Amino acid sequence: MKVAILGFGTVGVGVYEMLEKTPGLSPGPVLVRAGKVDAPYKTDDLDRIVSDPSVWAVCECMGGVEPAFTYAAAVLKAGKHLVTSNKALVAAKGPELAALAEASGAGFLFSAACGGAIPFLHNLQLAAESDDIQSLGGILNGTTNFMLDSMQTLGVDYADALREAQALGYAEADPTADVSGMDALRKIMLGCATAYNLLPTEGLCREGIESLTAADVKDLQSRRLVCRLLGRAGLTDSGRLFAYIQPVLVPDTAPESAVRKNFNLAYYVGKNAGLIRLMGQGAGRYPTASALLRDVCDLRRGARSMMRADCQRVEADNSLPVCRYYVRLPKDKADALRFESLIEDGETVRGITDTLPVIRMHAIAEKIRGEGCKLFFAALED
């Protein structure tokens, strides 16, 4: 069975190499940019792939929404199976791609888009078929986890941690999607679509790690707390979906504190199964390529979908989840929150807030930053 590849960057190369060694599969044509055709198996003409009857499935490894969506749509319309690791594409256009796949009878799988080699979405889908998923989430971005781990174990500051992550290939030249929490948020969106057939596109709360400083880390260590960037999603008692990303402080004895370097720790909670955690490499050439080929092998066994064509785009409701927060902010802005405890350090204060809704903390932070002030906040894990 021939499997074509769209894109020949880090992941695309890994897929090609693994296809050459996978029994029953072989690499087909590889789509590259114009001017990059330097081998017989490469092409800059998508039609060579969609019109080739020997191509059974296609791995999309391009990234971004366009032209990936246009190419992926053409693949599915041609009746060829599609697997992708492109979280931005599925978060933006998943229902449309699912509808095209259903109409043509093709398969559309994307477990590689969340967690790299970790079979998180794969297992989540299976669990959702027989259990009620109460919540899901975890540490879903290896770049930020690597940076946080470096800052807290090696004592480096944010800028040095980012430079090291870029030097090792964990962070892109433009790391915004990672450090802002957007990458992890897209993965949470895909988890919601897989578990609940609901794709949250509005009302999401997102806080990354850009505001964490070496001084914050020092203070957190004195409290025996470890900072991780965590995603949370689930259904409220009224059936409303919540979904958000934010820094979370856990005790230095918690499982999350042991997730080191660029590893991920994903979880879901089933009504019957209880808490299930999965840990492993969340990104990289071969971990992601292995996940793409896992989906290809699932197609070979008859799997056809992870997202239904009737998946609904919904607004998340983050007014019911509540947390206490550790907050560092200017002294003259402290009255924006109610604190259980507060320590002054010159013109800066650090404190633990009363319990408040996630959406309110994020709104307060946005307002204070809009007034030109800096702050850091992280939820406290009880």
Side-chain angles (χ1 to χ4, degrees):
M1 292 178 171
K2 278 191 179 180
V3 180
I5 302 170
L6 306 184
F8 208 52
T10 299
V11 175
V13 170
V15 171
Y16 191 90
E17 292 177 359
M18 291 184 67
L19 280 169
E20 291 183 305
K21 303 173 183 177
T22 303
L25 299 175
S26 62
V30 177
L31 185 72
V32 296
R33 294 192 300 272
K36 298 292 184 180
V37 180
D38 55 8
Y41 62 86
K42 295 182 182 180
T43 180
D44 57 8
D45 181 5
L46 181 67
D47 188 61
R48 180 179 164 189
I49 292 173
V50 298
S51 64
D52 185 344
S54 70
V55 171
W56 173 73
V58 176
C59 290
E60 187 275 309
C61 309
M62 299 173 61
V65 177
E66 283 293 355
F69 173 66
T70 298
Y71 295 169
V75 166
L76 291 171
K77 288 176 183 177
K80 299 184 187 301
H81 304 309
L82 177 74
V83 301
T84 179
S85 59
N86 187 342
K87 66 197 75 68
L89 171 64
V90 183
K93 297 291 186 178
E96 288 83 356
L97 293 173
L100 289 172
E102 184 178 275
S104 69
F108 169 46
L109 304 180
F110 52 85
S111 76
C114 180
I118 304 171
F120 175 52
L121 294 183
H122 175 85
N123 284 13
L124 180 63
Q125 180 187 23
L126 294 175
E129 292 176 2
S130 60
D131 203 350
D132 292 328
I133 306 301
Q134 298 179 321
S135 63
L136 59 96
I139 299 170
L140 301 175
N141 182 272
T143 299
T144 51
N145 201 68
F146 176 85
M147 292 175 61
L148 289 171
D149 186 48
S150 295
M151 292 178 71
Q152 293 166 114
T153 60
L154 303 178
V156 302
D157 62 19
Y158 177 91
D160 286 340
L162 176 56
R163 277 192 290 270
E164 185 179 6
Q166 289 172 322
L168 291 170
Y170 300 148
E172 302 288 342
D174 179 359
T176 304
D178 291 324
V179 298
S180 71
M182 179 55 73
D183 176 85
L185 187 64
R186 288 169 175 152
K187 294 170 182 175
I188 284 291
M189 294 167 68
L190 302 193
C192 291
T194 302
Y196 307 118
N197 200 38
L198 300 172
L199 181 65
T201 55
E202 303 289 339
L204 298 155
C205 291
R206 171 174 56 89
E207 176 73 9
I209 67 166
E210 305 104 315
S211 298
L212 181 68
T213 67
D216 296 329
V217 170
K218 184 176 181 180
D219 185 66
L220 294 175
Q221 288 174 329
S222 72
R223 302 169 188 252
R224 299 195 64 182
L225 295 173
V226 173
C227 184
R228 293 289 184 256
L229 186 66
L230 289 174
R232 305 284 195 208
L235 296 177
T236 67
D237 291 340
S238 61
R240 297 277 290 174
L241 182 73
F242 63 87
Y244 56 88
I245 299 289
Q246 61 186 6
V248 174
L249 305 180
V250 299
D252 58 11
T253 55
E256 291 84 356
S257 70
V259 182
R260 304 290 304 279
K261 298 187 181 297
N262 64 325
F263 275 65
N264 284 193
L265 177 67
Y267 77 88
Y268 62 85
V269 179
K271 181 179 180 181
N272 299 303
L275 173 63
I276 304 295
R277 289 192 178 102
L278 300 99
M279 180 177 170
Q281 288 281 358
R285 170 172 290 175
Y286 296 112
T288 305
S290 72
L292 283 161
L293 291 192
R294 179 179 64 221
D295 278 351
V296 170
C297 291
D298 272 354
L299 288 170
R300 196 164 52 175
R301 285 189 289 266
R304 289 295 179 264
S305 67
M306 295 184 67
M307 180 184 290
R308 285 162 38 188
D310 63 350
C311 182
Q312 300 177 48
R313 288 185 170 91
V314 298
E315 181 176 0
D317 181 358
N318 290 310
S319 63
L320 289 180
V322 296
C323 305
R324 293 185 305 138
Y325 286 92
Y326 170 99
V327 184
R328 179 259 300 155
L329 76 169
K331 182 178 179 180
D332 62 358
K333 300 296 181 182
D335 59 358
L337 291 157
R338 295 183 60 180
F339 288 93
E340 289 181 1
S341 60
L342 198 63
I343 297 174
E344 295 185 12
D345 182 12
E347 295 304 310
T348 298
V349 296
R350 300 177 186 274
I352 306 299
T353 70
D354 289 345
T355 299
L356 72 160
V358 168
I359 193 171
R360 177 159 171 73
M361 181 68 245
H362 285 248
I364 290 171
E366 183 179 7
K367 182 177 185 296
I368 291 174
R369 287 173 179 150
E371 296 167 352
C373 300
K374 296 180 179 180
L375 85 159
F376 168 73
F377 72 89
L380 279 169
E381 192 89 326
D382 292 322

